[in-house]
Amino acid sequence: MVPDTFFIQTVGCQMNVLDSELIAAELRRAGYVPADGVRRADVVLLNTCSVRAHAEDKIYSALGRLKHAKQYNPRKIIGVLGCMAQKDQQLIFRRAPHVDLVVGPGRLHRLPELLQRVADGGGPCLDVSLDRAAEDRRSVRQSFVPFTPLRPAKTPSAPHQTMVRIMSGCDKFCSYCIVPRVRGPEQSRPAAEIVDEVRRLADAGCLEVILLGQTVNSYKDRTGPRTIALADLLAMLDRIEGLRRIKFVTNHPRHITKSLLEAVRDLPKVSPYLHVPAQSGSDAVLRRMKRGYGAATYREMLDRIRETVPNAAVTSDFIVGFCGETEEDFRQTVELVRNARFKNSFIFKYSPRPETKAAKLYADDVPEAVKRRRNNELLAIQNVISLEDNQPYFGRVVEILVEGPSKVARKRAAVITKRATAGSPQPGPFSEEEGTVQLVGRTVCDRIVVFDGPRELTGRIMPVRIDKADAFTLFGSTVDLG
Ligand code: SAH
Ligand code: SF4
Ligand code: F3S
């Protein structure tokens, strides 16, 4: 019999991207083969995000488009996975009755079994974790099973660069945020298990690992005689032969410890790159957000970073238009962005999330037009800083890890494949026949570098000379090492 094919569509953060990668590995192991699009796949899985309403709207419209998909393939199974599955549960079946399967992020380990059940006619099927507000804390924790299946050492998409989960869930309960509800309680993975996994990856050619956690720097392995914090884990990973770079995201400002900064400074493989979201520059807003620090404490933390790791690239997230944010509050955020000189910032308009403390306690009282204006203003200020921050790179030679063809190159390649299959000649400007494509790589500080070179450079750590820089990208060329 022809094996079933699958296609996974992912929205959301790196956690979801990693989950999708692990799911794909699990499905391959179970005998499924990847399909090249939603239409042809027997199993279509949407791995979803609930962090803002916009992310959910995207999923529901994608589900709408899948409404008639089963007409052409009665065997087709449609599954909704991830954070929105945990949040909306039965509502998904009501809004999209053609969905066969809803699986929360804490239940992904059961996916192959559940798919089989649906294929055998046992659907529709729902598997989610317990509500975090439930009485019995132990049962809640047990119902959120960290998804850390043993994966093949070589990830087909990017064997040289791999994300590794070191913790799951979040206990911070910032008042605006849905993540603690959908991802469950904070659970750190035992260090020995992480070290084993990274060693296997490095043996198979992985050069860079990106350690993932919602508040990655609150990592604590308490299973042994001595607590292992992130700084200790970094030291253990730094010793792994073959591995060249270690990055970690996302940091919480309250857990930027002296020993963590010293680890970043002293361990040669650890990237001097810190994503530490501030969210706002106003004490009143930070208090309502329940972030657990004020603007002055955040600034002191930045000073400590600059003192210990002067070359560190620091990046942040901001929410504009949070409940009750006045123009004065917003000015304080602007001032923070001006003074902090982040390498870049991700800026979001506040989106009320049901069941969160902010949604229950405060009115979403900043008009959409004001949110949009503040978003654009903050972005414009950050962009000027990002551009200034990139300018000194002009003329410099930087070392990058080549991640592969850039988005532009990939799009062009898709067009060429389409045209080629349609029988028309290949277009001129794309010099695939000369073997050169636009490649993208990253510096150790997570700066994006674009340059032309042969596809085969993918996965190499190599020098590139920077010829031009804009706010988001450094443009370079290969260096003749003679
Ligand atoms: N764990 C990380 C990131 C969580 S989600 C952290 O603590 O920083 C990523 C970003 O989305 C957050 O940093 C925040 O800026 C934004 N975000 C979270 N909830 C949001 C909401 N309800 N509306 C708008 N942005 C939100
Ligand atoms: Fe959400 Fe706050 Fe946890 Fe980050 S730390 S995931 S913003 S609750
Ligand atoms: Fe979204 Fe879930 Fe990540 S809500 S931001 S995919 S943890």
Side-chain angles (χ1 to χ4, degrees):
M1 204 180 116
V2 189
D4 281 348
T5 58
F6 70 94
F7 188 81
I8 310 176
Q9 204 167 332
T10 310
V11 292
C13 66
Q14 280 167 304
M15 279 288 171
N16 261 18
V17 176
L18 171 58
D19 281 340
S20 291
E21 217 171 275
L22 296 173
I23 292 164
E26 285 293 275
L27 292 184
R28 276 203 186 88
R29 202 204 312 261
Y32 294 86
V33 296
D36 58 8
V38 167
R39 200 169 319 157
R40 290 204 202 121
D42 299 313
V43 177
V44 175
L45 300 171
L46 304 184
N47 196 6
T48 64
C49 172
S50 278
V51 80
R52 283 169 289 276
H54 178 65
E56 298 187 334
D57 296 344
K58 269 201 326 214
I59 313 280
Y60 279 113
S61 30
L63 282 174
R65 288 194 296 276
L66 282 170
K67 204 165 165 185
H68 303 295
K70 286 184 192 174
Q71 277 174 4
Y72 309 104
N73 179 359
R75 272 205 309 172
K76 205 170 195 99
I77 296 177
I78 299 172
V80 176
L81 317 176
C83 298
M84 198 187 83
Q86 179 64 35
K87 173 177 160 283
D88 282 359
Q89 307 192 359
Q90 295 285 358
L91 176 67
I92 296 171
F93 294 126
R94 289 202 291 276
R95 285 185 67 172
H98 49 295
V99 168
D100 302 287
L101 190 63
V102 171
V103 185
R107 312 301 298 167
L108 293 174
H109 59 292
R110 296 200 55 223
L111 189 61
E113 181 194 332
L114 298 171
L115 275 175
Q116 191 57 54
R117 190 192 293 176
V118 174
D120 293 342
C125 223
L126 171 85
D127 193 345
V128 289
S129 306
L130 293 176
D131 189 333
R132 269 206 86 172
E135 285 287 302
D136 181 358
R137 290 250 198 104
R138 216 183 126 104
S139 308
V140 171
R141 175 175 289 264
Q142 282 168 352
S143 74
F144 281 96
V145 180
F147 189 48
T148 50
L150 196 66
R151 64 175 146 190
K154 263 200 185 343
T155 320
S157 54
H160 43 273
Q161 185 187 47
T162 317
M163 288 180 274
V164 175
R165 189 184 333 268
I166 67 165
M167 60 189 294
S168 44
C170 178
D171 285 342
K172 292 280 185 284
F173 285 98
C174 302
S175 66
Y176 51 81
C177 186
I178 195 81
V179 172
R181 278 166 191 80
V182 292
R183 286 272 167 182
E186 182 179 318
Q187 303 184 61
S188 290
R189 223 177 139 190
E193 203 182 298
I194 299 166
V195 172
D196 269 359
E197 178 169 16
V198 175
R199 193 174 291 127
R200 270 187 340 111
L201 291 167
D203 285 347
C206 172
L207 300 175
E208 175 175 296
V209 287
I210 305 164
L211 309 178
L212 297 189
Q214 291 299 345
T215 53
V216 73
N217 54 338
S218 71
Y219 173 87
K220 272 188 185 61
D221 171 9
R222 294 197 174 91
T223 53
R226 182 177 81 82
T227 302
I228 300 173
L230 180 61
D232 309 310
L233 178 67
L234 291 173
M236 291 158 87
L237 296 175
D238 195 74
R239 288 196 284 271
I240 292 178
E241 217 170 295
L243 187 68
R244 299 276 297 274
R245 289 180 175 185
I246 306 168
K247 292 179 179 167
F248 52 96
V249 284
T250 297
N251 293 285
H252 191 284
R254 273 176 55 193
H255 303 281
I256 296 285
T257 59
K258 185 163 176 275
S259 53
L260 178 61
L261 293 178
E262 285 168 357
V264 176
R265 181 193 61 195
D266 299 337
L267 298 170
K269 293 178 186 173
V270 177
S271 292
Y273 160 61
L274 292 160
H275 181 55
V276 205
Q279 310 297 1
S280 169
S282 148
D283 283 339
V285 172
L286 286 168
R287 205 172 312 118
R288 279 198 299 280
M289 286 180 163
K290 256 183 95 232
R291 285 291 287 179
Y293 56 84
T297 316
Y298 188 88
R299 283 206 179 85
E300 278 159 32
M301 177 213 70
L302 276 179
D303 290 344
R304 282 193 289 121
I305 295 177
R306 306 279 188 221
E307 226 165 77
T308 316
V309 201
N311 64 337
V314 183
T315 59
S316 180
D317 292 351
F318 288 93
I319 297 177
V320 293
F322 184 63
C323 316
E325 186 188 68
T326 61
E327 208 52 37
E328 175 50 30
D329 291 321
F330 176 64
R331 289 296 135 213
Q332 290 172 3
T333 300
V334 167
E335 199 190 305
L336 174 62
V337 169
R338 283 221 163 94
N339 294 331
R341 302 199 62 80
F342 298 110
K343 185 199 81 168
N344 62 36
S345 294
F346 299 93
I347 300 160
F348 307 103
K349 289 179 289 179
Y350 172 59
S351 165
R353 306 285 61 218
E355 302 301 315
T356 56
K357 202 167 167 207
K360 286 183 191 161
L361 292 184
Y362 313 119
D364 175 24
D365 54 0
V366 178
E368 178 59 27
V370 176
K371 286 183 186 172
R372 200 176 320 129
R373 191 218 344 122
R374 289 180 187 166
N375 190 330
N376 292 342
E377 188 178 334
L378 203 57
L379 200 60
I381 294 165
Q382 177 61 57
N383 285 351
V384 171
I385 295 168
S386 299
L387 181 64
E388 286 169 3
D389 194 55
N390 270 347
Q391 287 314 310
Y393 282 84
F394 179 79
R396 255 198 236 169
V397 173
V398 295
E399 196 182 68
I400 61 163
L401 167 59
V402 186
E403 294 179 350
S406 72
K407 254 192 205 152
V408 176
R410 284 206 304 271
K411 249 192 212 144
R412 282 189 197 155
V415 172
I416 287 170
T417 319
K418 259 196 194 150
R419 291 200 192 169
T421 39
S424 62
Q426 303 217 344
F430 182 68
S431 48
E432 182 79 282
E433 63 268 40
E434 293 157 30
T436 303
V437 292
Q438 189 181 61
L439 293 167
V440 61
R442 271 174 211 259
T443 67
V444 77
C445 282
D446 215 49
R447 287 185 165 81
I448 296 170
V449 180
V450 164
F451 68 107
D452 288 337
R455 205 176 270 273
E456 292 69 38
L457 291 177
T458 303
R460 290 252 200 105
I461 291 186
M462 57 177 280
V464 168
R465 185 184 316 282
I466 304 305
D467 312 316
K468 204 177 106 186
D470 70 18
F472 315 102
T473 316
L474 302 173
F475 299 87
S477 47
T478 46
V479 180
D480 187 1
L481 295 173

